[in-house]
Amino acid sequence: MPNKHRPLNFLVLLLAGALALSLVINGFLLYNQPALAADYEDLQEAEADLRLTQRLLARCQALHQQQDSLLALHAEPPSAVPTTTATAH
C-alpha cells in the first residue's frame, strides 16, 4: 500500500511548495515600497503642474472675456437698415 500514497504525497509536497513560493513572491511585491514613493512624488509634481496650468488658463480666459466685453461696449451700434415699403398712391 505505500506505493499508492507515494504519488499523492508528491502532489501534496508540490502544492505546498507552490503555495510557499507564491506567498514569498507576493510578500516581496507588497512590501517593495521605494518604487511607490518615487511614483508618489512624481504624481504630486504632476498635480502641482496641473493646478498651475488651470490657474493660468482661468486667468487668461478672464482677461479675454474682459477684452471681449470692452470691445462690445465700444463697438458702434449696427446701423439701421432702411426698409422700403411699397406704398400705392
Side-chain angles (χ1 to χ4, degrees):
M1 280 229 205
N3 291 337
K4 290 183 180 180
H5 294 292
R6 186 169 291 220
L8 185 62
N9 287 340
F10 175 72
L11 291 176
V12 169
L13 287 175
L14 187 63
L15 182 61
L19 182 62
L21 183 62
S22 175
L23 288 173
V24 169
I25 291 174
N26 284 328
F28 175 75
L29 292 175
L30 284 175
Y31 293 107
N32 190 8
Q33 293 297 328
L36 294 177
D39 289 342
Y40 184 71
E41 290 173 4
D42 290 342
L43 183 62
Q44 283 182 329
E45 186 177 325
E47 187 176 348
D49 287 344
L50 177 63
R51 290 180 191 267
L52 176 63
T53 302
Q54 287 173 336
R55 283 195 305 258
L56 291 174
L57 179 61
R59 189 178 302 159
C60 184
Q61 286 174 334
L63 287 173
H64 281 277
Q65 188 175 12
Q66 183 181 12
Q67 287 175 352
D68 290 345
S69 63
L70 289 175
L71 288 174
L73 286 176
H74 295 302
E76 295 179 13
S79 60
V81 177
T83 57
T84 57
T85 57
T87 54
H89 291 282

